[in-house]
Structure formats: structure tokens, C-alpha cells
Amino acid sequence: MNRPLQLFPAPAAAKAAPEPPPAARPPARSVAAVLADSQVEEVLAELDRDLVGLAPVKARIRDIAALLVMDRLRANLGLATQPPSLHMSFTGNPGTGKTTVAMRMAQILHRLGYVRKGHLVAVTRDDLVGQYIGHTAPKTKEVLKKAMGGVLFIDEAYYLYRPENERDYGQEAIEILLQVMENQRDDLVVILAGYADRMETFFRSNPGMSSRIAHHLDFPDYQPEELMAIAGKMLAAQNYHLGEGGEEALARYIGLRIQQPHFANARSVRNALDRARLRQASRLFADRERELTAEDLTTIAAEDILASRLFAAA
């Protein structure tokens, strides 16, 4: 809950204003033409390439992109159209890719002309709710100001609502959010995220918020083989690889870690690899006279993983 506000700027390509079309060029009349103009297909391809699994989520994102493309084609033909409601709810356990998908969604919305900038502002309750009278409104409005033209991602959104504390100011933030979500929905998309059961309770207690959410996406936990694939991507991105017996050791680790409390999917895998790198560094550091090769420095050995206290407790 104490994670500070995070601003994810739109990629350079997304931030750059599109070149005006030639005067004689007619508006797009086909899906292919809209995709070529907006380059949305590139974002969808990145989503498939960069994120392991999440097939239902990817399918829903494609559905939303298809809706937006159709809306643009209708506008090009002069058909009466009203901008669709795009506020969303992302539910699932930690480490299932919700923030990453939100960033890709911001790019899609920008490239199709639904938001001006395509950036993502990620916040929690602490960024929106003050601790005394008169403090919440300016905090919330300042966050909204930073998010305008893009996507506001509120993690663990249910913490905004604390009915057991009559002196809590979260309801004030909710009321401001509701007003902006309705009146400025053409310039801001809000994504509420958190555990599925708590989000359900939050929406039941705040029907006004529930009525403004058009798209509900559930992020499933990763399967062990998907977590192994994620680990491979993480290692490759940092120019590491697993040595002999390393894959078996990591698979055993993941099988044990899934059963432990506070398992956080890809986040837990990343933490495990960070600790393995630490053990690798300590192992190599201890042999000070040895001349190290690139292979030494890029290999995570099985022993670097098996040294985890998780195996001792098993």
C-alpha cells in the first residue's frame, strides 16, 4: 500500500504526434487501414511477445482494440457515434502482469486517439487520501492532473473505502474520482486493480463506481511452466543463463514457493532470481585469485538456487 506514485511515460513513438495525412488521402475504410495508421498491431504483438500466458486477458484486450477500431471506422463514415466507456477493473493476485497490461492499454488508447498522451500514472490510496480535513481533495486533484490525457492505474483500490473508520477521508477521494470519470472520460481512463474478492466487495459498497466500469479483466495465476518461461526471459534480459542442473533446481524452487504464503507469481520469481544472483556474486567473490570468464559471470549455477532456505525448510 505504501508504493509511491509511479509515472510511466508513453514510449517515444507513442508520444510523437502523428504526421498529418496527405490532403488527398481519404479516411480509413478498413480495419487494415486503421491498424496501419495507428500501429496498434505493434502494441498487440508486443503484448504477446513480452507477456507469458494470460491468454484470456490478451483476448479481451484484442476485443477492446477491435471495438475502438470499429468506433473509428464508424466516425470516418460519419455515423453517429459516442465514445465508448473505457474505465476498467483488473483483478488478480500480485505479479500477474496487471501494471504491464495497463501500460500497453494506454499505448493502444493513445494510438487510436482516445487519450492525448498515452502515459500511465500508477498510484495507491496513500497518493490520493489525506490524513486531515482539507488534505484529500488537493492530493486527489493533483494526481488526476498528472494523469489527464492518459491512464490512471489505482492499485488495491478497495483501500480507498474504509467504512469502519468514520473519520477516514477515502470517500472524498472516491467522489472526486467519480465526477472526473463521468465528466472527463474522453480525456482519462481509470483502471482499478486488486484482489478479486476485495474488489467485488468494494464495488458492492460503491455502486456509483461499479456502474462506471465497463470492462472487467481477471488475471489468472501463472502455472509452473509459465513461471519457468518468465524466469528465462528475466535472465536473458540481464544476460544470464542457468548452468547445468539449474533448470531442475529452479523448477523445484518454484514448486515449493507456490505453496508458501504471500506467493506473488512473476514478482516472486524475480525476487528469487535476484537472490540467486547475489549468491552467485558471493561465490565468485570468495575466489579472489581466479580469473573469471564471461561464462562464469553469466551463469547461475544450481547451487545458487539450491542454497535457498526454502529447500532447508522442505
Side-chain angles (χ1 to χ4, degrees):
M1 270 184 63
N2 296 320
R3 185 179 68 184
L5 179 149
Q6 295 177 285
L7 174 62
F8 299 91
K15 285 169 41 176
E19 294 182 7
R25 185 177 177 182
R29 292 285 192 269
S30 69
V31 171
V34 174
L35 292 177
D37 289 345
S38 63
Q39 299 183 318
V40 163
E41 200 71 59
E42 290 182 11
V43 183
L44 295 174
E46 288 173 6
L47 197 65
D48 282 332
R49 183 180 67 247
D50 297 344
L51 280 181
V52 172
L54 299 180
V57 173
K58 293 174 180 177
R60 190 63 186 276
I61 294 298
R62 283 191 172 273
D63 288 344
I64 294 171
L67 173 68
L68 302 181
V69 169
M70 292 306 114
D71 190 64
R72 184 151 161 184
L73 287 170
R74 286 173 57 87
N76 288 349
L77 287 170
L79 299 174
T81 182
Q82 183 176 3
S85 178
L86 294 169
H87 302 309
M88 305 178 194
S89 168
F90 287 3
T91 54
N93 290 325
T96 48
K98 295 186 291 294
T99 304
T100 301
V101 171
M103 292 170 65
R104 295 289 185 265
M105 196 70 239
Q107 290 177 256
I108 291 171
L109 294 170
H110 174 66
R111 293 189 182 199
L112 286 170
Y114 286 88
V115 292
R116 289 179 290 116
K117 300 177 183 177
H119 65 301
L120 176 79
V121 175
V123 301
T124 62
R125 170 192 163 91
D126 291 345
D127 301 302
L128 299 167
V129 181
Q131 297 179 345
Y132 50 84
I133 294 175
H135 191 207
T136 294
K139 283 189 73 171
T140 302
K141 289 176 181 178
E142 180 62 25
V143 167
L144 288 166
K145 181 180 178 182
K146 291 178 181 177
M148 280 298 166
V151 172
L152 175 62
F153 181 86
I154 306 177
D155 200 12
E156 298 182 312
Y158 33 75
Y159 285 125
L160 291 174
Y161 183 68
R162 289 180 171 173
E164 71 281 0
N165 183 356
E166 61 182 22
R167 299 185 64 182
D168 184 70
Y169 304 113
Q171 188 61 42
E172 183 180 357
I174 291 173
E175 290 171 3
I176 295 171
L177 285 168
L178 287 173
Q179 184 178 18
V180 172
M181 288 169 71
E182 182 64 29
N183 297 337
Q184 295 179 263
R185 60 180 181 172
D186 58 342
D187 198 34
L188 178 70
V189 171
V190 175
I191 299 177
L192 307 177
Y195 291 107
D197 55 345
R198 298 184 188 180
M199 290 299 293
E200 185 178 350
T201 301
F202 174 71
F203 286 134
R204 280 202 308 266
S205 303
N206 296 273
M209 186 68 78
S210 178
S211 67
R212 285 166 174 78
I213 300 298
H215 305 282
H216 294 263
L217 282 73
D218 183 58
F219 287 66
D221 287 334
Y222 288 110
Q223 296 301 306
E225 61 273 16
E226 293 174 332
L227 293 169
M228 286 294 294
I230 289 169
K233 284 180 174 287
M234 290 177 175
L235 287 169
Q238 299 183 69
N239 202 13
Y240 282 91
H241 64 272
L242 295 172
E244 183 178 354
E247 284 196 23
E248 293 83 355
L250 183 59
R252 284 181 58 198
Y253 175 90
I254 288 173
L256 292 170
R257 183 65 184 89
I258 286 175
Q259 303 172 42
Q260 299 297 311
H262 312 299
F263 176 66
N265 288 280
R267 200 173 300 164
S268 290
V269 170
R270 182 186 63 207
N271 292 340
L273 294 178
D274 285 344
R275 288 190 289 270
R277 287 177 56 209
L278 186 65
R279 296 186 198 104
Q280 181 234 34
S282 295
R283 174 171 55 81
L284 297 177
F285 184 79
D287 193 355
R288 300 193 180 191
E289 301 304 320
R290 176 183 169 190
E291 187 171 318
L292 299 175
T293 66
E295 181 68 14
D296 295 324
L297 293 169
T298 58
T299 301
I300 301 295
E303 64 186 285
D304 300 326
I305 297 167
L306 294 172
S308 167
R309 60 187 177 185
L310 196 61
F311 292 100

